[in-house]
Amino acid sequence: MPPILMLLGPTASGKSAASLAIARRHPVEIVSVDSALVYRGMDIGTAKPEPAELAAVPHHLIDILDPAQAYSAARFAADARRLCGEIVARGRLPLLVGGTMLYAKAFMGGLAPLPGADAAIRARLDAEAATQGWPALHARLATLDPVTAARLAPGDAQRIQRALEVFELTGQPLSALHAAPVADARPPAPAIVVSLEPSRREELHRRIAARFEAMITAGLLGEVARLRARGDLHPGLPSMRAVGYRQAWAWLEEHPERDPQAMRDPRDPVLRSLLDRGIAATRQLAKRQLTWLRSMPDRIVVDCLDPSAEARVLAIAQAQWPPRPGFGAGRI
């Protein structure tokens, strides 16, 4: 079985463009490593590939769930391993692309089984956060699981809640469970990790700001308004906690008098609070992604800001996937 290439990186690092460049040279099928792209109807805020891109090269694990449903790292790992085998059986090459690092870790080395959600514990933690604030619960987490607390922002409600929940249910820190190897949960072939990382954090921040502004222009508020109008979604769902969606949902609740379909100009002063919160949350996401990546000592780092980054990624792919009988040509 040929090696599996994994193209990882923080948001706005150019993963999608690099993956399509690989697809022009190699007979790949792309497996998305993204916890938000699995949801249907969430296109703008996830920077989902355009229909032409999806048609040009086969993509997997995109638009497979309704936003009311949940997905997990364990399910991703099982799905991705199965897909890799199916892709190779078709005479093609598996290319995993994305930025959900927990999914990547689950695929690479497995994760210890984690307990499911406990509604009673979550409700109690939500009530405590309502009176004490999430920074106070973050401080509590720092005493129980300093490794996890160190990589979370004090306001990262979803992850703080989950880490405290896991500790209450298992008596063990989430970081310890993540670090425990699972011997029978390995990739079906050697996995080569290529990591797109910025040499200048401020330039990545500029890209993040420009990308979020472009999402506003493309109609992010209208997209979130349509999701809210369904009536069966709420901010506590994993889908609606995704960066960008959580901030847009809150903004819509704060400005019920505004027409979300018309709110597309990022220069509009009334959108300033949304931009500030959305960009800050995306920066925090990128920081967490980079922290995860630095814990992968065998990754091949490519500076995503280098003008030759795409050429370097292509050279790595060529070294791992030299021409071989039985494998077709690129499709794009």
Side-chain angles (χ1 to χ4, degrees):
M1 187 168 178
I4 297 167
L5 197 63
M6 296 184 71
L7 184 60
L8 306 177
T11 186
S13 60
K15 298 182 294 295
S16 295
S19 68
L20 292 175
I22 293 173
R24 285 190 285 268
R25 307 287 184 88
H26 298 274
V28 302
E29 295 188 22
I30 295 173
V31 179
S32 169
V33 188
D34 191 296
S35 60
L37 289 182
V38 298
Y39 294 112
R40 294 184 290 271
M42 295 173 58
D43 303 331
I44 297 171
T46 62
K48 193 169 287 180
E50 296 293 331
E53 296 171 343
L54 294 172
V57 56
H59 285 70
H60 302 278
L61 302 185
I62 294 178
D63 288 342
I64 62 171
L65 293 179
D66 183 85
Q69 297 174 294
Y71 200 56
S72 69
R75 181 175 169 187
F76 165 82
D79 287 344
R81 293 186 194 111
R82 170 182 54 79
L83 286 165
C84 285
E86 294 172 358
I87 290 167
V88 171
R90 288 192 285 270
R92 302 184 69 80
L93 298 165
L95 173 61
L96 277 65
V97 182
T100 300
M101 302 308 166
L102 185 63
Y103 285 14
K105 181 176 175 62
F107 177 82
M108 290 287 289
L111 294 171
L114 298 178
D118 186 297
I121 292 177
R122 292 191 171 191
R124 176 169 50 76
L125 291 172
D126 281 336
E128 292 175 7
T131 58
Q132 303 173 32
W134 284 107
L137 272 69
H138 180 268
R140 182 193 307 172
L141 178 64
T143 67
L144 302 172
D145 186 355
V147 174
T148 297
R151 65 178 179 81
L152 299 182
D156 192 344
Q158 177 184 1
R159 291 173 179 83
I160 294 169
Q161 181 189 66
R162 178 56 174 162
L164 289 171
E165 175 189 44
V166 168
F167 188 88
E168 290 196 27
L169 290 171
T170 68
Q172 298 184 65
L174 182 62
S175 57
L177 295 174
H178 280 169
V182 180
D184 60 348
R186 302 288 176 179
I192 310 301
V193 176
V194 180
S195 179
L196 291 172
E197 301 177 26
S199 55
R200 302 184 306 280
R201 189 72 63 90
E202 65 276 9
E203 176 60 21
L204 182 66
H205 289 174
R206 187 198 64 78
R207 287 189 182 187
I208 286 171
R211 180 171 171 165
F212 196 77
E213 289 178 1
M215 289 177 178
I216 295 296
T217 302
L220 174 62
L221 282 168
E223 180 174 84
V224 177
R226 288 191 294 274
L227 292 166
R228 290 179 76 232
R230 286 179 32 161
D232 63 334
L233 303 178
H234 57 82
L237 289 169
S239 59
M240 294 300 101
R241 285 182 168 183
V243 168
Y245 289 87
R246 182 168 68 248
Q247 290 76 28
W249 188 295
W251 188 93
L252 290 169
E253 289 185 335
E254 295 163 5
H255 299 273
E257 77 286 357
R258 299 284 178 168
D259 177 5
Q261 306 297 338
M263 302 302 294
R264 291 173 175 256
D265 186 353
R267 298 168 298 179
D268 189 332
V270 79
L271 288 174
R272 189 69 257 169
S273 63
L274 171 57
L275 286 165
D276 289 344
R277 285 180 285 185
I279 292 169
T282 310
R283 285 184 178 184
Q284 287 293 331
L285 170 62
K287 181 179 179 181
R288 292 194 299 272
Q289 290 169 317
L290 288 166
T291 299
W292 273 100
L293 286 167
R294 294 188 186 109
S295 71
M296 300 178 182
D298 297 328
R299 75 195 190 283
I300 302 171
V301 178
V302 174
D303 181 3
C304 65
L305 306 180
D306 189 328
S308 65
E310 186 174 294
R312 289 196 59 199
V313 171
L314 288 173
I316 295 167
Q318 183 64 34
Q320 299 300 327
W321 291 332
R324 65 182 67 200
F327 287 83
R331 291 186 45 161
I332 298 180

